[in-house]
Amino acid sequence: MKILSIETSCDETAVSLVEASGDNRSFSFSVLGNALFSQIEMHREYGGVFPTVAKREHAKKFPLLLKETLSQGDEYVIKPQEYSEETWEEIRKITEKEGGLFDGLKEVLSDMEKPNIDIIAVTAGPGLEPALWVGISCAKALGALWGIPVMPVNHMEGHITSVFMESEDVRKAVFPAVALLISGGHTELVEVLDWGKYNILGQTRDDAVGEAFDKVARMLGLPYPGGPEVSKLAEMARKENLPQKCKLPRPMIHSDDFDFSFSGLKTAVLYYIRDNPLQNEDEVKDICREFEDTVVDVLLSKTKKAVDHTGAQTLIIAGGVIANKRLREKFKKLEDEFPGLIVKTPSQKLSTDNALMIASSAYLKILENSELLKGGMEIKANGNLRLS
Ligand code: KG4
Ligand code: ZN
């Protein structure tokens, strides 16, 4: 089955074409095309993702990324198309709220033969709604023009299933599993009873962990996104064996639940800087190391508790923050601590937002419910979409 997937929930515009096969216990994905444009440079000056800029850039880049993806997959055949005025009018209506999207799409699609695709999958949430709508409008426009069904995908579910996209052995999911989802907008511990069957064990009561990295980075004068910067300096502090001056509290580490809280930690950093004005780069590195250690300690502790509580045999850690090297190393070691536990993390490429993860989730959803291949669903952006 060929799936064209679209992701525009935040600041990455991504399109992929995946050939998926197999059943829900043994499946395989081959990537036929994959293109991604990251808007990070554009948002840096705002210190975070600016929704109207995100929306504009998604609309501008999508047609080009579509062409690039289909070209890699040999599905882009240049052939002038004869679409009626009514068809273009329908596409114009679907895309009218998305800035220049219609013109960009028309230019690419007028010369492109209908590709051989079974379904179009698009992220419907959670994320920034103006950004999500661009992807949804693109999916609907392509679906209408080519007569291909369109289905919605939950972005967080995409992060979960992304860990099963790479090599043969990683696809063998053993349930129950626990998923720790850590991104710029989410921090959740989820029990995965089977594909599509979730039970949210706990979540952050305030800031998401990626958000905390970004905010602390900003306090330290480091650029957005803060995670990679903080992590780089933390690693330098360890390599250089710098003396440890900064000590931070481990919020909620002993609380009798699976919830998190990172806003107090951020404030603790703020007070530390106020009371100990930064004199040199080594002090920044010291704070980064302590902050990273704190986050790792808290995430590890709650996750271990969740594994114990559920008897999970697979631990999935996904979302942009798992790009963090220290976290990956520490979590991998849980395989020694919990005999039989398989720890799955996506590769660096699949850690941050991408369209491949959306295709993987779409395929597993279709295996659960083949009705999805008929299309006809109403698809709306939902910034707060939950796993259900
Ligand atoms: O999943 P993602 O790409 O986008 C969202 O859906 O939020 O996650 C982005 C988040 C940002 O907050 C970023 O600072 C964080 O992931 N991040 C990291 C690292 N790389 C990205 N956090 C810590 N260490 C990293 N190496
Ligand atoms: Zn994400």
Side-chain angles (χ1 to χ4, degrees), residues 323-382:
N324 186 283
K325 216 172 121 211
R326 183 96 175 155
L327 259 181
R328 296 175 90 87
E329 286 166 7
K330 294 275 180 181
F331 271 101
K332 199 67 194 158
K333 288 204 179 118
L334 291 185
E335 287 186 344
D336 303 329
E337 215 173 301
F338 291 85
L341 181 74
I342 309 164
V343 178
K344 299 283 171 223
T345 52
S347 65
Q348 290 282 345
K349 188 181 83 183
L350 285 172
S351 297
T352 43
D353 293 347
N354 62 83
L356 294 169
M357 69 187 210
I358 303 307
S360 67
S361 179
Y363 185 62
L364 288 161
K365 285 255 166 254
I366 294 165
L367 292 178
E368 268 167 47
N369 177 10
S370 59
E371 290 285 302
L372 289 167
L373 287 169
K374 292 191 183 147
M377 294 176 79
E378 201 198 344
I379 304 177
K380 278 189 178 160
N382 179 352

Side-chain angles (χ1 to χ4, degrees), residues 9-12 155-156 159 182-186 209-211 213-214 224-229 231 292 319-325 327 351-353:
S9 68
C10 193
D11 57 352
E12 256 93 33
H155 179 88
M156 298 317 288
H159 275 304
I182 39 178
S183 71
H186 287 261
V209 60
E211 193 181 352
F213 266 103
D214 295 338
Y224 174 84
E229 300 291 329
S231 174
E292 188 176 67
V321 179
I322 195 56
N324 186 283
K325 216 172 121 211
L327 259 181
S351 297
T352 43
D353 293 347

Side-chain angles (χ1 to χ4, degrees), residues 89-293:
E89 203 38 46
E90 188 188 349
I91 304 301
R92 185 193 300 279
K93 279 214 180 89
I94 295 172
T95 54
E96 70 188 350
K97 296 205 176 102
E98 319 300 352
L101 178 62
F102 176 75
D103 293 336
L105 273 182
K106 189 170 181 189
E107 193 182 331
V108 169
L109 298 172
S110 300
D111 280 332
M112 183 196 294
E113 193 177 51
K114 175 186 167 181
N116 177 18
I117 293 166
D118 297 285
I119 194 158
I120 299 167
V122 61
T123 305
L128 300 168
E129 286 192 4
L132 288 162
W133 270 118
V134 181
I136 293 172
S137 300
C138 291
K140 286 183 175 170
L142 298 179
L145 192 76
W146 293 332
I148 294 174
V150 181
M151 65 176 282
V153 171
N154 180 314
H155 179 88
M156 298 317 288
E157 193 164 17
H159 275 304
I160 294 178
T161 54
S162 70
V163 302
F164 297 94
M165 284 204 81
E166 270 143 336
S167 67
E168 199 56 53
D169 86 307
V170 292
R171 278 177 215 123
K172 297 190 185 99
V174 188
F175 299 105
V178 159
L180 172 69
L181 302 177
I182 39 178
S183 71
H186 287 261
T187 308
E188 278 177 340
L189 262 171
V190 182
E191 183 180 16
V192 187
L193 299 162
D194 202 334
W195 297 120
K197 293 201 179 67
Y198 305 108
N199 170 29
I200 296 179
L201 298 169
Q203 57 202 311
T204 181
R205 297 194 180 166
D206 38 60
D207 292 352
V209 60
E211 193 181 352
F213 266 103
D214 295 338
K215 287 179 176 169
V216 164
R218 199 184 320 179
M219 288 177 208
L220 296 171
L222 304 170
Y224 174 84
E229 300 291 329
V230 169
S231 174
K232 198 167 67 193
L233 294 180
E235 199 171 328
M236 286 166 86
R238 284 183 205 104
K239 273 213 184 101
E240 294 165 21
N241 218 356
L242 296 179
Q244 186 175 8
K245 279 172 40 196
C246 176
K247 274 305 281 173
L248 297 169
R250 268 59 179 159
M252 295 185 70
I253 199 161
H254 299 301
S255 72
D256 198 17
D257 54 29
F258 300 103
D259 284 350
F260 303 93
S261 166
F262 292 104
S263 124
L265 178 60
K266 171 194 72 190
T267 313
V269 175
L270 188 71
Y271 288 163
Y272 181 82
I273 301 172
R274 184 195 63 190
D275 299 341
N276 304 273
L278 296 170
Q279 313 273 357
N280 55 49
E281 168 96 326
D282 282 357
E283 290 178 354
V284 177
K285 291 180 194 165
D286 176 41
I287 298 172
C288 289
R289 173 180 56 189
E290 174 63 3
F291 175 76
E292 188 176 67
D293 282 344

